[in-house]
């Protein structure tokens, strides 16, 4: 490490793995920001201990070992993350109230570009996208940290059992046992299947086009025509979640009617289509951030709508406009 060339080589080697490590840490932690912190900690630890790297494993494997230890330490020190659906049953709209749960650590959305490799075999890409879906990452939170790591490494990243055993300093038999227990827990959580959405096919593009028209026009008849009968709607950081046409429409025409007249800007999150929702300003001078809407497409319809309301965190993370002008054109922060 004495010469600049070697330092540059190490920098390049570490940075080459940053995105995939961020994806791994996101699945482990369920938080975009904690995942980035974990990867940065991993890089710092790697730099500090590079002299002890003996090269018996690849640099990539060594970084995953460090990242796993970082994530396990973070999980052992804090609460697991959850969606509203993990805490209570659906609420009838007549009883719906917006109750914030500050003691709950909520599952966070993540931009695809921060966690998914840019070039992948189509089959591998489908597995990667499926494994960052909100429902799947929420199910992972039910696993103990070591089982979580084993399942992600074996099922998502396709590591061999012997490689995982070496990384975790355990036996192949122990890895296989942990994987069986993790699979059983996930089967009980039933994260469910969703439509593949990358690239969007013609039917999906038409569905999203109709969704935008119905939402911006606040046409509830048109909107419900696009929703599954058992579609869900949630609004973290509130613990409320609704299910079914009647409850969703009842909310949208009641308390949720403040969304009337909104504009939607397309983006992607967690391997699925998403929209930045902008709310009309009270002074009429354009639109301001209101929510990041992450959609779940299932069976050719919308199966879920998750409205993430902390726009001060999500819009900069997704590189979304700070506002929209009166004509709907993007306004960037100065």
């Amino acid at each position: 490490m004495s010469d600049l060339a070697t330092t540059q080589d190490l920098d390049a080697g570490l940075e080459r793995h940053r995105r995939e490590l961020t994806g791994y840490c996101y699945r482990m932690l369920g938080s975009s920001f904690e995942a980035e912190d974990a990867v940065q900690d991993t890089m710092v630890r790697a730099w500090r201990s590079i002299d002890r790297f003996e090269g018996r494993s690849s640099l990539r494997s060594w970084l995953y070992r460090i990242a796993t230890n970082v994530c396990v330490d973070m999980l052992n020190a804090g609460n697991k993350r959850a969606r509203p659906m993990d805490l209570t049953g659906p609420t009838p709209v007549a009883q719906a109230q917006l109750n914030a749960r500050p003691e709950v650590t909520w599952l966070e959305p993540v931009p695809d570009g921060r966690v998914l490799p840019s070039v992948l075999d189509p089959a591998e890409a489908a597995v990667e996208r499926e494994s960052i879906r909100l429902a799947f990452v929420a199910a992972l939170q039910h696993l103990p940290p070591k089982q979580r790591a084993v399942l992600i490494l074996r099922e998502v990243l396709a590591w061999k059992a012997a490689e995982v055993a070496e990384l975790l300093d355990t036996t192949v038999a122990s890895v296989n046992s942990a994987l069986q227990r993790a699979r059983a827990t996930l089967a009980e959580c039933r994260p469910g299947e969703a439509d593949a959405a990358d690239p969007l096919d013609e039917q999906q593009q038409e569905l999203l086009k109709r969704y935008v028209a119905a939402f911006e026009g606040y046409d509830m008849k048109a909107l419900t025509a696009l929703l599954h009968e058992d579609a869900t709607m949630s609004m973290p950081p509130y613990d409320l979640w609704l299910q079914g046409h009647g409850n969703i429409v009842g909310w949208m025409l009641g308390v949720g009617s403040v969304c009337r007249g909104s504009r939607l800007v397309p983006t992607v999150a967690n391997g699925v289509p998403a929209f930045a929702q902008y709310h009309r300003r009270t002074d009429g001078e354009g639109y301001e951030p209101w929510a990041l809407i992450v959609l779940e497409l299932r069976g050719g319809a919308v199966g879920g709508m998750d409205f993430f309301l902390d726009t001060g965190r999500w819009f900069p993370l997704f590189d979304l406009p700070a506002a929209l002008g009166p004509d709907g054109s993007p306004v960037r922060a100065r």
Side-chain angles (χ1 to χ4, degrees):
M1 295 304 302
S2 59
D3 62 277
L4 181 61
T6 304
T7 300
Q8 290 175 333
D9 289 345
L10 178 58
D11 278 340
L14 296 178
E15 286 302 316
R16 186 164 58 248
H17 299 292
R18 182 177 290 273
R19 185 183 294 189
E20 65 171 301
L21 285 171
T22 304
Y24 174 63
C25 293
Y26 173 73
R27 295 177 183 95
M28 287 287 291
L29 302 170
S31 164
S32 312
F33 296 101
E34 286 187 358
E36 293 192 353
D37 289 345
V39 172
Q40 191 58 35
D41 192 3
T42 297
M43 297 300 184
V44 170
R45 293 190 190 189
W47 254 109
R48 289 175 177 171
S49 57
I50 190 64
D51 292 339
R52 297 196 297 273
F53 175 53
E54 299 175 353
R56 287 180 296 183
S57 62
S58 67
L59 177 63
R60 178 174 181 258
S61 298
W62 185 59
L63 289 172
Y64 269 93
R65 176 192 291 268
I66 299 172
T68 300
N69 291 333
V70 169
C71 289
V72 169
D73 287 346
M74 293 173 72
L75 290 169
N76 287 335
N79 297 325
K80 70 179 183 181
R81 293 185 174 267
R83 302 175 77 192
M85 297 80 164
D86 300 321
L87 305 178
T88 65
T91 303
V93 69
Q95 302 170 20
Q97 294 181 339
L98 290 177
N99 297 315
R101 295 274 290 266
E103 78 279 7
V104 174
T105 309
W106 297 106
L107 188 71
E108 297 179 354
V110 69
D112 286 15
R114 293 190 179 235
V115 294
L116 294 180
S118 55
V119 179
L120 271 181
D121 172 87
E124 293 177 357
V127 172
E128 290 264 0
R129 285 193 303 274
E130 174 70 17
S131 68
I132 61 167
R133 281 178 51 223
L134 289 169
F136 185 83
V137 178
L140 289 175
Q141 306 305 300
H142 294 277
L143 302 176
K146 287 294 180 68
Q147 284 186 29
R148 200 179 307 183
V150 167
L151 186 130
I152 296 168
L153 291 167
R154 292 281 286 120
E155 301 277 85
V156 177
L157 302 179
W159 285 39
K160 296 177 181 178
E163 294 172 325
V164 178
E166 181 181 358
L167 182 145
L168 297 177
D169 289 324
T170 188
T171 64
V172 170
S174 178
V175 166
N176 289 336
S177 177
L179 181 59
Q180 283 187 328
R181 293 196 302 272
R183 285 172 173 168
T185 300
L186 282 194
E188 292 176 2
C189 297
R190 294 190 298 274
E193 297 292 329
D195 294 348
D198 185 25
L200 294 170
D201 62 29
E202 186 175 340
Q203 182 181 15
Q204 291 169 329
Q205 292 176 18
E206 179 62 25
L207 173 64
L208 295 180
K209 181 179 178 181
R210 292 169 60 197
Y211 179 86
V212 170
F215 195 100
E216 292 187 342
Y218 227 66
D219 184 340
M220 292 299 107
K221 182 177 180 180
L223 183 65
T224 54
L226 308 177
L227 303 180
H228 273 281
E229 290 186 4
D230 62 350
T232 61
M233 177 178 174
S234 72
M235 292 160 278
Y238 301 109
D239 60 6
L240 172 71
W241 68 283
L242 305 160
Q243 186 170 39
H245 290 181
N247 289 309
I248 291 174
V249 170
W251 177 265
M252 297 285 281
L253 293 178
V255 177
S257 63
V258 293
C259 292
R260 192 184 296 272
S262 294
R263 293 291 188 95
L264 300 184
V265 174
T267 184
V268 288
N270 294 83
V272 297
F275 292 97
Q277 179 191 352
Y278 292 84
H279 183 264
R280 189 184 297 276
R281 290 169 54 98
T282 54
D283 59 11
E285 295 297 318
Y287 302 81
E288 58 190 0
W290 188 260
L292 175 72
I293 309 172
V294 181
L295 298 183
E296 178 186 277
L297 305 185
R298 178 165 45 88
V302 176
M305 301 181 290
D306 293 295
F307 290 70
F308 291 91
L309 302 179
D310 191 355
T311 57
R313 286 166 64 82
W314 309 131
F315 278 43
L317 181 68
F318 282 78
D319 194 28
L320 292 163
L324 300 181
D327 62 350
S329 58
V331 176
R332 293 289 175 179
R334 296 179 179 178

